[in-house]
Amino acid sequence: MAKPAETPSLSMREQGLEHRIRARISQEGPLRLDEYMSMCLYDPGAGYYARRQPLGAEGDFITAPEVSQVFGELIGLWAASVWLQMGSPRKVMLIELGPGRGSLAADALRAAKALPAFANAINLHLVEISAPLRALQARALQAFHPVRWHKRLETVPDGPAIIIGNEFLDALPIRQIVWRESGWRERCVGMGAEGRFVFTTAAPAVLSREDRGILPTQPIEGMLRELRPGIRPLLTELARRAGNAPLAALFVDYGYTRGEAGDTFQAVSRHRYGDPLQHPGEQDLTAHVDFAAFLGAAKAAGLSAWGPMPQGQFLLRLGLETRCRQLMRNAEALQQNTIMSGVRRLIDPRHMGELFKAVAVTSAELDAPPPFADQPA
Ligand code: SAH
């Protein structure tokens, strides 16, 4: 039987990436995990973000803004109150990092209309590397708000900025290091029997002073720690902007609050966990966020840092119950069920309520952003 036309070209592209990773390992030796992840996610032709539409029921995974509109709406109200704290600048940039399908931004902009002066002040900038996702963002947003896209935060103009990143940090590549025989060793991707990719931990890890600062002082044999090299440049850029104009950035992600989590490197495809060393470019690769490391690095960069606060608590404090009651009043019975199950999923500790956490970083002159007043980092 003839195969569908798509299949051969897809598998050739996949083979192409696998082949290139193999060739690089043969030439340079085992690859650091962040290098392997970067190739799998960001390869311009065959990387995951170049090809896949990751989100939603028909994609690979689902995120809070896709679970319930209330998530983006409350973040829109959060942004409005931060804008007031900034002294209501005439123009403010609303910057979203990794906006997915554009749902969060659409819900936030709709909610922002409750404060028309804020809604009118917004210039929307989206930082997105995935072409398929940019197309979806255009569809979700362009009809009711002008959008400018960027591949990197560095090209967004300077000025007062409110920045949102939901499930953005977990996508930044990680390194893993293992304490073995009195030294930190780099966990790499090498080649085993029949050219299969395998983990190796032979090479001594090259660590900066900052890296060493977040590592345990008395490691034990076999202990594994994760480092995320993209965090420091991101925070340096946020701090640079915060030095020029008021800035508040909110990140929501899954992760841990102390650096003890061990191996969290994961592959997800079609709502199932997979082997991260198989099918390069075909699966989403992520790892949990080390919030202690993130907030420590934010303070070291000169930013004020807030949280981490469990997502459930964060949303309840922002007024989730009130917004939910409003929605329920206007909904039919069937819709009411959908609204309630979505909202429960966001705040229930057994779902997203605890594992997901919110953190904020702000320019030093700003007051605590809501609802973090009692939770400086
Ligand atoms: N915020 C969305 C999507 C989360 S998935 C939501 O909550 O539904 C991660 C998003 O970050 C995707 O849009 C992905 O394409 C984008 N992304 C990942 N790495 C990126 C990078 N280095 N630069 C810009 N965007 C990136």
Side-chain angles (χ1 to χ4, degrees):
M1 201 175 78
K3 285 187 178 169
E6 283 290 276
T7 312
S9 77
L10 270 185
S11 70
M12 260 164 64
R13 275 202 291 191
E14 187 189 347
Q15 266 178 10
L17 181 57
E18 214 169 303
H19 179 77
R20 270 179 286 141
I21 296 173
R22 252 191 223 112
R24 215 177 132 184
I25 295 173
S26 312
Q27 277 166 11
E28 301 171 23
L31 284 181
R32 248 168 57 167
L33 212 52
D34 55 330
E35 292 167 337
Y36 170 79
M37 255 179 112
S38 292
M39 287 185 85
C40 293
L41 293 177
Y42 303 133
D43 183 87
Y48 179 77
Y49 288 123
R51 300 171 38 193
R52 300 277 289 214
Q53 191 300 94
L55 289 145
E58 72 284 14
D60 294 322
F61 56 94
I62 194 141
T63 56
E66 304 298 330
V67 167
S68 170
Q69 70 188 78
V70 175
F71 187 79
E73 289 171 347
L74 292 174
I75 289 183
L77 297 178
W78 177 85
S81 47
V82 167
W83 175 73
L84 290 171
Q85 280 184 322
M86 288 177 171
S88 315
R90 204 179 55 78
K91 281 290 163 199
V92 68
M93 283 176 288
L94 185 64
I95 307 172
E96 191 177 351
L97 305 174
R101 286 154 56 126
S103 311
L104 192 164
D107 295 333
L109 287 170
R110 197 176 53 248
K113 291 203 181 116
L115 190 60
F118 171 56
N120 292 330
I122 295 174
N123 282 330
L124 184 62
H125 292 265
L126 304 181
V127 178
E128 176 59 70
I129 39 144
S130 156
L133 287 178
R134 280 187 182 201
L136 292 181
Q137 291 153 20
R139 219 185 293 161
L141 292 162
Q142 256 169 347
F144 66 101
H145 205 99
V147 187
R148 282 169 68 186
W149 278 275
H150 305 262
K151 287 203 177 112
R152 326 173 52 222
L153 178 60
E154 283 74 2
T155 62
V156 180
D158 279 353
I162 300 172
I163 302 177
I164 315 288
N166 186 62
E167 292 208 35
F168 175 74
L169 301 175
D170 64 84
L172 301 179
I174 53 153
R175 289 171 63 185
Q176 289 187 332
I177 55 172
V178 181
W179 184 261
R180 201 151 276 162
E181 292 158 19
S182 315
W184 289 108
R185 319 253 153 200
E186 194 78 35
R187 192 159 187 243
C188 291
V189 178
M191 258 173 332
E194 294 156 21
R196 288 169 73 92
F197 296 134
V198 292
F199 287 112
T200 66
T201 45
V206 178
L207 298 169
S208 67
R209 195 166 46 86
E210 289 86 358
D211 292 332
R212 290 188 186 279
I214 60 168
L215 292 173
T217 43
Q218 293 185 317
I220 52 171
E221 185 69 16
M223 180 182 261
L224 186 150
R225 282 294 178 273
E226 295 179 338
L227 304 168
R228 194 165 247 127
I231 292 289
R232 206 160 297 117
L234 171 67
L235 290 167
T236 305
E237 171 61 8
L238 292 178
R240 189 195 63 74
R241 288 171 176 272
N244 294 335
L247 173 141
L250 174 72
F251 293 94
V252 183
D253 227 307
Y254 50 95
Y256 46 96
T257 48
R258 280 183 299 273
E260 67 218 13
D263 178 9
T264 74
F265 185 38
Q266 64 187 38
V268 170
S269 133
R270 307 244 178 265
H271 305 271
R272 284 166 195 263
Y273 291 108
D275 175 350
L277 298 191
Q278 280 193 26
H279 311 301
E282 289 284 291
Q283 315 178 88
D284 188 35
L285 299 181
T286 62
H288 287 218
V289 174
D290 179 346
F291 285 108
F294 178 85
L295 294 166
K299 286 192 275 188
L303 292 157
S304 302
W306 311 91
M309 188 181 290
Q311 174 172 293
Q313 187 185 12
F314 174 73
L315 295 175
L316 286 165
R317 284 188 176 194
L318 287 182
L320 176 120
E321 278 165 314
T322 311
R323 179 62 193 134
C324 201
R325 269 198 298 274
Q326 282 169 346
L327 282 175
M328 297 290 271
R329 264 203 298 277
N330 303 326
E332 318 252 323
L334 201 67
Q335 286 176 312
Q336 289 186 340
N337 282 341
T338 315
I339 295 167
M340 278 317 292
S341 69
V343 163
R344 259 194 224 113
R345 202 158 150 194
L346 294 182
I347 60 172
D348 188 331
R350 286 164 306 178
H351 293 275
M352 304 176 83
E354 279 285 338
L355 175 63
F356 283 74
K357 294 164 187 71
V359 293
V361 299
T362 53
S363 35
E365 78 284 0
L366 286 185
D367 290 337
F372 290 103
D374 58 348
Q375 290 206 16

